[in-house]
Amino acid sequence: MIGALKRRWDAFRGSGEAAVTIPSMDGALRPNRLIEEAELVAAVEAPDDLAHDGSSPLVSTGRRICRITPAGLETLAEFGSAVTALAAAPSGRIAAALAEGLIVVLDPDGTRRTVARLGDGPATCVTALCIAGDDTLFVAQGSVRRAAADWKRDLMERRSDGAVWRTMPDGSGQERIAAALAWPLGIAAGTGDRLIVSESWRHRLVALSGGRAPEPVLADLPGYPARIHPDPAGGWWLALFSPRNQIIEFIQREPAFLGRMMEEVDEAYWAAPSLKPSATFLEPLQGGAQKHLGMLKPWAPTRSYGLVVHLDGRLRPTRSFHSRADGTRHGIMTVLPVGDAVFAAAKGGDAVVALDRGDAARRA
Protein backbone atom coordinates (compact mmCIF):
# COMPACT_ATOMS: atom_id res chain seq x y z
CA MET A 1 0.00 0.00 0.00
CA ILE A 2 2.79 2.41 0.97
CA GLY A 3 4.71 1.48 -2.18
CA ALA A 4 1.69 2.24 -4.40
CA LEU A 5 1.17 5.62 -2.74
CA LYS A 6 4.85 6.45 -3.12
CA ARG A 7 4.78 5.60 -6.85
CA ARG A 8 1.76 7.88 -7.36
CA TRP A 9 3.43 10.68 -5.42
CA ASP A 10 6.64 10.25 -7.43
CA ALA A 11 4.67 10.31 -10.69
CA PHE A 12 2.98 13.56 -9.60
CA ARG A 13 6.23 15.25 -8.54
CA GLY A 14 8.55 13.68 -11.11
CA SER A 15 10.74 12.27 -8.35
CA GLY A 16 11.99 8.82 -7.39
CA GLU A 17 11.33 6.25 -10.14
CA ALA A 18 9.52 8.93 -12.19
CA ALA A 19 12.60 11.19 -12.35
CA VAL A 20 14.63 11.40 -15.56
CA THR A 21 17.76 12.85 -13.95
CA ILE A 22 20.95 10.90 -14.64
CA PRO A 23 23.86 10.82 -12.16
CA SER A 24 27.08 12.25 -13.57
CA MET A 25 30.27 10.26 -13.96
CA ASP A 26 32.53 11.93 -11.42
CA GLY A 27 34.88 11.05 -8.60
CA ALA A 28 35.81 7.36 -8.90
CA LEU A 29 33.79 7.25 -12.15
CA ARG A 30 35.67 10.12 -13.83
CA PRO A 31 36.04 9.25 -17.56
CA ASN A 32 39.32 8.06 -19.12
CA ARG A 33 40.36 5.95 -22.13
CA LEU A 34 41.77 2.95 -20.28
CA ILE A 35 39.54 0.34 -21.97
CA GLU A 36 40.30 1.84 -25.38
CA GLU A 37 44.05 1.73 -24.66
CA ALA A 38 44.03 -1.71 -22.98
CA GLU A 39 45.98 -4.65 -24.43
CA LEU A 40 43.97 -6.84 -26.80
CA VAL A 41 43.85 -10.42 -25.47
CA ALA A 42 41.68 -11.91 -28.20
CA ALA A 43 39.64 -10.69 -31.13
CA VAL A 44 36.31 -12.48 -30.58
CA GLU A 45 32.98 -11.90 -32.28
CA ALA A 46 30.48 -10.59 -29.68
CA PRO A 47 32.06 -12.08 -26.52
CA ASP A 48 29.30 -12.37 -23.91
CA ASP A 49 30.67 -13.94 -20.72
CA LEU A 50 33.97 -14.92 -19.13
CA ALA A 51 34.86 -17.62 -16.57
CA HIS A 52 37.93 -19.45 -15.25
CA ASP A 53 37.99 -23.22 -14.74
CA GLY A 54 41.24 -23.32 -12.77
CA SER A 55 43.50 -23.81 -15.77
CA SER A 56 42.71 -20.91 -18.14
CA PRO A 57 40.11 -18.25 -18.89
CA LEU A 58 37.04 -19.18 -20.95
CA VAL A 59 34.89 -16.97 -23.14
CA SER A 60 31.45 -17.56 -24.64
CA THR A 61 30.82 -16.32 -28.17
CA GLY A 62 27.67 -17.22 -30.07
CA ARG A 63 27.15 -20.99 -29.76
CA ARG A 64 30.70 -21.70 -28.60
CA ILE A 65 32.72 -21.77 -25.40
CA CYS A 66 36.39 -21.14 -26.13
CA ARG A 67 39.53 -21.44 -24.05
CA ILE A 68 41.78 -18.36 -24.21
CA THR A 69 45.40 -19.45 -24.65
CA PRO A 70 48.58 -17.56 -25.57
CA ALA A 71 48.29 -19.14 -29.05
CA GLY A 72 44.69 -17.96 -29.53
CA LEU A 73 41.24 -19.41 -29.02
CA GLU A 74 40.53 -23.14 -28.72
CA THR A 75 36.92 -24.28 -29.03
CA LEU A 76 36.01 -26.21 -25.88
CA ALA A 77 32.32 -26.87 -26.60
CA GLU A 78 29.73 -25.99 -29.23
CA PHE A 79 25.97 -26.12 -28.75
CA GLY A 80 22.81 -25.87 -30.82
CA SER A 81 21.94 -22.33 -29.73
CA ALA A 82 23.62 -19.24 -28.32
CA VAL A 83 25.28 -19.35 -24.91
CA THR A 84 23.58 -16.71 -22.74
CA ALA A 85 25.58 -17.20 -19.51
CA LEU A 86 28.75 -18.99 -18.42
CA ALA A 87 30.30 -20.01 -15.08
CA ALA A 88 33.17 -22.26 -14.03
CA ALA A 89 34.77 -23.54 -10.82
CA PRO A 90 38.46 -24.19 -10.01
CA SER A 91 37.61 -27.92 -10.01
CA GLY A 92 37.03 -27.72 -13.76
CA ARG A 93 33.23 -27.81 -13.65
CA ILE A 94 31.62 -25.58 -16.30
CA ALA A 95 28.00 -24.44 -16.48
CA ALA A 96 26.50 -22.84 -19.59
CA ALA A 97 22.99 -21.54 -20.21
CA LEU A 98 21.61 -21.88 -23.74
CA ALA A 99 19.07 -19.68 -25.51
CA GLU A 100 16.96 -22.76 -26.37
CA GLY A 101 16.13 -23.17 -22.64
CA LEU A 102 18.74 -25.48 -21.16
CA ILE A 103 21.47 -25.20 -18.56
CA VAL A 104 24.31 -27.62 -19.33
CA VAL A 105 26.75 -28.66 -16.59
CA LEU A 106 30.01 -30.26 -17.76
CA ASP A 107 32.36 -32.00 -15.32
CA PRO A 108 36.08 -32.72 -15.91
CA ASP A 109 35.39 -36.48 -16.08
CA GLY A 110 33.07 -35.97 -19.07
CA THR A 111 29.80 -36.14 -17.13
CA ARG A 112 27.15 -33.96 -18.73
CA ARG A 113 23.93 -32.97 -16.94
CA THR A 114 21.16 -30.63 -18.02
CA VAL A 115 18.58 -28.49 -16.27
CA ALA A 116 15.53 -27.89 -18.47
CA ARG A 117 13.12 -26.29 -16.00
CA LEU A 118 13.24 -23.68 -13.26
CA GLY A 119 10.28 -24.23 -10.99
CA ASP A 120 7.16 -24.69 -13.13
CA GLY A 121 8.60 -22.98 -16.20
CA PRO A 122 11.31 -23.61 -18.79
CA ALA A 123 14.89 -22.57 -18.07
CA THR A 124 14.81 -19.74 -20.60
CA CYS A 125 16.33 -16.27 -20.47
CA VAL A 126 19.15 -17.26 -18.10
CA THR A 127 21.41 -14.21 -17.95
CA ALA A 128 24.01 -15.18 -15.32
CA LEU A 129 25.29 -18.25 -13.48
CA CYS A 130 27.38 -18.74 -10.35
CA ILE A 131 28.85 -22.03 -9.11
CA ALA A 132 29.18 -22.09 -5.32
CA GLY A 133 30.77 -25.06 -3.57
CA ASP A 134 30.52 -28.52 -5.07
CA ASP A 135 26.78 -28.87 -5.56
CA THR A 136 25.16 -25.47 -5.73
CA LEU A 137 24.36 -23.49 -8.84
CA PHE A 138 22.84 -20.02 -8.62
CA VAL A 139 20.87 -18.91 -11.66
CA ALA A 140 19.76 -15.40 -12.64
CA GLN A 141 16.74 -15.45 -14.95
CA GLY A 142 16.28 -12.08 -16.65
CA SER A 143 12.62 -12.64 -17.43
CA VAL A 144 10.19 -15.52 -17.06
CA ARG A 145 8.34 -14.42 -20.22
CA ARG A 146 10.96 -13.10 -22.63
CA ALA A 147 14.02 -14.52 -24.34
CA ALA A 148 17.45 -13.11 -23.59
CA ALA A 149 17.63 -11.71 -27.13
CA ASP A 150 14.58 -9.52 -26.36
CA TRP A 151 16.45 -7.52 -23.71
CA LYS A 152 15.96 -4.18 -25.45
CA ARG A 153 12.15 -4.51 -25.56
CA ASP A 154 12.08 -5.63 -21.92
CA LEU A 155 14.21 -2.65 -20.89
CA MET A 156 12.12 -0.05 -22.76
CA GLU A 157 8.92 -1.42 -21.20
CA ARG A 158 10.63 -1.38 -17.76
CA ARG A 159 9.42 -4.87 -16.90
CA SER A 160 10.38 -6.62 -13.68
CA ASP A 161 9.59 -10.34 -13.88
CA GLY A 162 13.09 -11.74 -13.39
CA ALA A 163 14.11 -14.21 -10.69
CA VAL A 164 17.08 -15.79 -8.93
CA TRP A 165 17.18 -19.54 -8.31
CA ARG A 166 19.27 -22.03 -6.37
CA THR A 167 19.56 -25.54 -7.84
CA MET A 168 21.73 -28.64 -7.82
CA PRO A 169 23.69 -29.37 -11.03
CA ASP A 170 21.15 -32.08 -11.96
CA GLY A 171 18.19 -29.72 -11.47
CA SER A 172 17.07 -31.14 -8.12
CA GLY A 173 16.58 -29.19 -4.88
CA GLN A 174 15.40 -26.03 -6.62
CA GLU A 175 14.46 -22.93 -4.65
CA ARG A 176 13.40 -19.53 -5.94
CA ILE A 177 15.35 -17.04 -3.85
CA ALA A 178 13.90 -13.81 -5.27
CA ALA A 179 11.27 -12.76 -7.82
CA ALA A 180 9.96 -9.56 -9.45
CA LEU A 181 13.52 -8.44 -10.24
CA ALA A 182 14.13 -6.00 -13.11
CA TRP A 183 16.37 -8.12 -15.38
CA PRO A 184 19.01 -9.59 -13.02
CA LEU A 185 22.13 -9.70 -15.22
CA GLY A 186 24.88 -10.55 -12.77
CA ILE A 187 25.17 -12.77 -9.71
CA ALA A 188 28.03 -13.46 -7.31
CA ALA A 189 28.34 -15.26 -3.99
CA GLY A 190 29.37 -13.20 -0.98
CA THR A 191 30.08 -14.28 2.58
CA GLY A 192 27.72 -16.75 4.22
CA ASP A 193 24.49 -17.12 2.25
CA ARG A 194 24.68 -13.57 0.85
CA LEU A 195 24.33 -13.06 -2.89
CA ILE A 196 25.09 -9.85 -4.79
CA VAL A 197 22.83 -9.37 -7.82
CA SER A 198 22.93 -6.75 -10.60
CA GLU A 199 19.36 -5.56 -11.14
CA SER A 200 20.01 -3.95 -14.48
CA TRP A 201 16.81 -2.07 -15.34
CA ARG A 202 16.76 -0.45 -11.86
CA HIS A 203 20.43 0.58 -12.21
CA ARG A 204 21.46 -0.96 -8.90
CA LEU A 205 23.01 -3.84 -7.01
CA VAL A 206 20.97 -5.69 -4.40
CA ALA A 207 21.92 -8.20 -1.71
CA LEU A 208 19.88 -11.36 -1.15
CA SER A 209 20.19 -13.30 2.09
CA GLY A 210 18.15 -15.17 4.63
CA GLY A 211 14.93 -15.16 2.59
CA ARG A 212 14.56 -11.41 3.09
CA ALA A 213 13.47 -8.92 0.43
CA PRO A 214 16.24 -7.63 -1.89
CA GLU A 215 18.33 -5.01 -0.10
CA PRO A 216 19.78 -2.24 -2.32
CA VAL A 217 23.53 -1.95 -1.65
CA LEU A 218 24.54 0.36 -4.54
CA ALA A 219 21.86 2.40 -6.31
CA ASP A 220 21.42 5.06 -9.01
CA LEU A 221 24.33 3.93 -11.17
CA PRO A 222 24.97 5.98 -14.36
CA GLY A 223 24.65 2.83 -16.52
CA TYR A 224 23.07 -0.61 -16.70
CA PRO A 225 25.00 -3.07 -14.48
CA ALA A 226 25.88 -6.45 -15.96
CA ARG A 227 28.03 -9.29 -14.56
CA ILE A 228 29.87 -8.94 -11.25
CA HIS A 229 32.77 -11.01 -9.88
CA PRO A 230 34.64 -10.93 -6.56
CA ASP A 231 38.23 -9.66 -6.68
CA PRO A 232 40.72 -12.00 -4.92
CA ALA A 233 42.70 -8.86 -4.00
CA GLY A 234 39.63 -7.41 -2.26
CA GLY A 235 36.34 -5.94 -3.40
CA TRP A 236 34.42 -6.61 -6.60
CA TRP A 237 34.60 -6.00 -10.34
CA LEU A 238 31.44 -4.78 -12.05
CA ALA A 239 30.73 -4.33 -15.78
CA LEU A 240 28.13 -1.85 -17.07
CA PHE A 241 27.04 -2.57 -20.63
CA SER A 242 25.52 0.78 -21.62
CA PRO A 243 25.07 4.32 -20.23
CA ARG A 244 21.80 5.82 -19.07
CA ASN A 245 20.43 8.64 -21.20
CA GLN A 246 17.82 11.29 -20.35
CA ILE A 247 16.08 11.07 -23.72
CA ILE A 248 15.75 7.29 -23.43
CA GLU A 249 14.39 7.45 -19.88
CA PHE A 250 11.92 10.15 -20.98
CA ILE A 251 10.69 7.91 -23.83
CA GLN A 252 10.24 5.02 -21.39
CA ARG A 253 7.70 7.17 -19.55
CA GLU A 254 5.73 8.12 -22.69
CA PRO A 255 3.70 4.98 -23.49
CA ALA A 256 2.04 6.33 -26.65
CA PHE A 257 5.34 7.33 -28.29
CA LEU A 258 7.07 4.18 -27.01
CA GLY A 259 4.34 1.94 -28.43
CA ARG A 260 4.52 3.55 -31.88
CA MET A 261 8.32 3.41 -31.91
CA MET A 262 8.40 -0.30 -31.09
CA GLU A 263 5.62 -1.06 -33.58
CA GLU A 264 6.75 1.04 -36.54
CA VAL A 265 10.55 1.28 -36.28
CA ASP A 266 13.11 -1.49 -36.76
CA GLU A 267 14.55 -2.45 -33.34
CA ALA A 268 18.06 -1.62 -34.51
CA TYR A 269 17.06 2.05 -34.86
CA TRP A 270 15.10 2.52 -31.61
CA ALA A 271 16.05 5.35 -29.27
CA ALA A 272 17.30 2.76 -26.78
CA PRO A 273 20.60 1.64 -25.23
CA SER A 274 22.96 -0.11 -27.62
CA LEU A 275 26.00 -2.36 -27.36
CA LYS A 276 27.76 -0.92 -30.43
CA PRO A 277 28.78 2.59 -31.47
CA SER A 278 26.59 4.18 -34.13
CA ALA A 279 27.45 2.98 -37.63
CA THR A 280 24.65 4.38 -39.81
CA PHE A 281 22.79 7.67 -40.26
CA LEU A 282 19.51 5.77 -39.76
CA GLU A 283 20.15 5.49 -36.02
CA PRO A 284 18.75 8.16 -33.66
CA LEU A 285 21.11 11.05 -33.00
CA GLN A 286 21.16 13.78 -30.37
CA GLY A 287 22.51 17.18 -31.38
CA GLY A 288 25.63 16.92 -29.24
CA ALA A 289 26.62 13.71 -31.00
CA GLN A 290 27.05 15.36 -34.41
CA LYS A 291 30.52 15.11 -35.88
CA HIS A 292 32.49 18.32 -36.37
CA LEU A 293 35.49 18.31 -38.74
CA GLY A 294 35.04 14.56 -38.99
CA MET A 295 35.41 14.04 -35.24
CA LEU A 296 32.96 12.78 -32.62
CA LYS A 297 33.63 14.38 -29.25
CA PRO A 298 34.33 11.90 -26.42
CA TRP A 299 31.77 13.63 -24.18
CA ALA A 300 28.98 13.51 -26.79
CA PRO A 301 25.62 11.99 -25.74
CA THR A 302 25.76 8.35 -26.66
CA ARG A 303 23.64 5.20 -26.55
CA SER A 304 26.66 2.90 -26.15
CA TYR A 305 29.71 3.04 -23.89
CA GLY A 306 32.36 0.87 -22.25
CA LEU A 307 32.56 0.94 -18.45
CA VAL A 308 34.19 -1.25 -15.80
CA VAL A 309 34.11 -0.30 -12.11
CA HIS A 310 36.06 -1.66 -9.16
CA LEU A 311 34.11 -1.69 -5.90
CA ASP A 312 35.52 -2.01 -2.40
CA GLY A 313 34.33 -4.51 0.18
CA ARG A 314 31.37 -2.26 1.01
CA LEU A 315 30.43 -2.09 -2.69
CA ARG A 316 31.51 1.53 -3.11
CA PRO A 317 33.27 2.55 -6.38
CA THR A 318 37.02 3.04 -5.99
CA ARG A 319 38.19 3.37 -9.63
CA SER A 320 36.91 2.88 -13.17
CA PHE A 321 37.90 2.13 -16.75
CA HIS A 322 36.15 3.70 -19.75
CA SER A 323 35.68 3.58 -23.52
CA ARG A 324 33.94 6.88 -24.25
CA ALA A 325 31.54 8.01 -27.00
CA ASP A 326 34.36 8.23 -29.57
CA GLY A 327 35.68 4.76 -28.67
CA THR A 328 34.92 1.34 -30.13
CA ARG A 329 35.15 -1.10 -27.19
CA HIS A 330 31.56 -0.70 -26.01
CA GLY A 331 29.02 -3.06 -24.48
CA ILE A 332 31.16 -4.52 -21.67
CA MET A 333 29.11 -7.51 -20.51
CA THR A 334 31.53 -9.00 -18.00
CA VAL A 335 34.84 -8.44 -16.27
CA LEU A 336 36.94 -11.15 -14.64
CA PRO A 337 40.17 -10.93 -12.59
CA VAL A 338 42.83 -13.22 -14.10
CA GLY A 339 46.13 -13.18 -12.21
CA ASP A 340 47.57 -9.66 -12.16
CA ALA A 341 45.27 -8.50 -14.96
CA VAL A 342 41.55 -8.05 -15.33
CA PHE A 343 39.88 -9.33 -18.50
CA ALA A 344 36.91 -7.42 -19.90
CA ALA A 345 34.64 -8.67 -22.70
CA ALA A 346 33.45 -5.91 -25.05
CA LYS A 347 30.47 -7.47 -26.84
CA GLY A 348 30.01 -4.42 -29.03
CA GLY A 349 33.72 -4.14 -29.75
CA ASP A 350 34.35 -7.81 -30.63
CA ALA A 351 37.27 -7.95 -28.21
CA VAL A 352 38.52 -9.32 -24.92
CA VAL A 353 41.02 -6.89 -23.40
CA ALA A 354 43.32 -6.96 -20.36
CA LEU A 355 43.00 -4.02 -17.98
CA ASP A 356 45.93 -2.98 -15.80
CA ARG A 357 44.71 -2.88 -12.19
CA GLY A 358 46.91 0.12 -11.37
CA ASP A 359 46.11 2.31 -14.40
CA ALA A 360 42.96 3.92 -13.00
CA ALA A 361 44.58 4.58 -9.62
CA ARG A 362 47.65 6.18 -11.26
CA ARG A 363 45.46 8.52 -13.34
CA ALA A 364 43.10 9.46 -10.48
Side-chain angles (χ1 to χ4, degrees):
M1 183 64 180
I2 293 177
L5 290 175
K6 186 175 186 309
R7 283 193 292 275
R8 290 191 177 187
W9 180 246
D10 286 342
F12 174 71
R13 296 183 66 243
S15 59
E17 290 188 359
V20 292
T21 53
I22 306 297
S24 61
M25 293 190 190
D26 204 351
L29 299 180
R30 191 168 61 178
N32 53 51
R33 290 177 48 84
L34 293 176
I35 293 179
E36 206 60 29
E37 298 168 354
E39 176 191 356
L40 178 67
V41 175
V44 188
E45 183 179 0
D48 181 75
D49 208 349
L50 293 167
H52 201 293
D53 67 349
S55 60
S56 62
L58 310 173
V59 60
S60 61
T61 167
R63 301 179 178 188
R64 295 186 299 150
I65 298 174
C66 297
R67 193 177 294 282
I68 300 175
T69 72
L73 296 181
E74 296 177 359
T75 299
L76 184 65
E78 186 161 1
F79 304 97
S81 62
V83 178
T84 61
L86 178 66
S91 64
R93 173 173 289 171
I94 297 170
L98 308 182
E100 65 191 76
L102 279 180
I103 300 172
V104 180
V105 180
L106 305 171
D107 282 326
D109 62 2
T111 303
R112 174 185 171 123
R113 289 171 284 186
T114 60
V115 180
R117 300 189 68 80
L118 291 171
D120 296 330
T124 54
C125 198
V126 173
T127 51
L129 295 167
C130 174
I131 298 175
D134 293 332
D135 291 318
T136 302
L137 180 65
F138 292 107
V139 180
Q141 190 175 24
S143 169
V144 298
R145 288 190 284 182
R146 288 234 163 89
D150 293 332
W151 66 268
K152 195 175 291 187
R153 181 176 292 273
D154 202 85
L155 186 160
M156 294 306 292
E157 293 179 345
R158 296 198 299 167
R159 294 195 174 275
S160 55
D161 55 5
V164 171
W165 298 82
R166 179 193 289 119
T167 181
M168 304 284 275
D170 61 358
S172 64
Q174 290 190 2
E175 177 189 4
R176 190 175 68 178
I177 299 172
L181 298 176
W183 201 268
L185 187 50
I187 186 169
T191 55
D193 67 344
R194 197 173 192 232
L195 291 177
I196 304 299
V197 176
S198 301
E199 200 177 9
S200 200
W201 298 173
R202 292 191 174 123
H203 331 111
R204 66 180 187 176
L205 302 182
V206 296
L208 305 177
S209 65
R212 294 187 290 271
E215 174 196 0
V217 290
L218 180 61
D220 208 15
L221 288 162
Y224 300 93
R227 277 67 179 250
I228 182 170
H229 286 99
D231 184 355
W236 305 80
W237 286 99
L238 174 67
L240 293 93
F241 73 84
S242 184
R244 293 170 65 187
N245 182 297
Q246 277 187 313
I247 289 293
I248 292 171
E249 299 208 359
F250 178 74
I251 291 172
Q252 286 178 313
R253 291 159 175 78
E254 293 294 326
F257 182 93
L258 178 64
R260 285 195 60 185
M261 181 184 76
M262 292 195 295
E263 182 180 346
E264 300 173 12
V265 179
D266 188 297
E267 183 176 318
Y269 308 132
W270 287 357
S274 174
L275 300 180
K276 284 180 173 289
S278 177
T280 166
F281 66 89
L282 295 174
E283 295 183 3
L285 180 70
Q286 289 180 251
Q290 294 180 9
K291 290 185 178 179
H292 293 279
L293 303 176
M295 292 177 59
L296 176 66
K297 301 301 182 186
W299 54 84
T302 178
R303 298 185 302 121
S304 65
Y305 200 86
L307 180 56
V308 169
V309 181
H310 179 266
L311 310 173
D312 65 14
R314 297 183 304 154
L315 294 157
R316 295 291 177 264
T318 62
R319 56 191 188 274
S320 58
F321 302 74
H322 300 247
S323 174
R324 303 178 71 182
D326 60 338
T328 58
R329 291 171 172 176
H330 292 183
I332 308 292
M333 295 300 293
T334 188
V335 57
L336 181 74
V338 179
D340 294 332
V342 179
F343 284 11
K347 192 168 187 176
D350 297 329
V352 175
V353 300
L355 308 176
D356 186 325
R357 289 172 177 270
D359 268 352
R362 286 192 288 271
R363 297 197 185 190

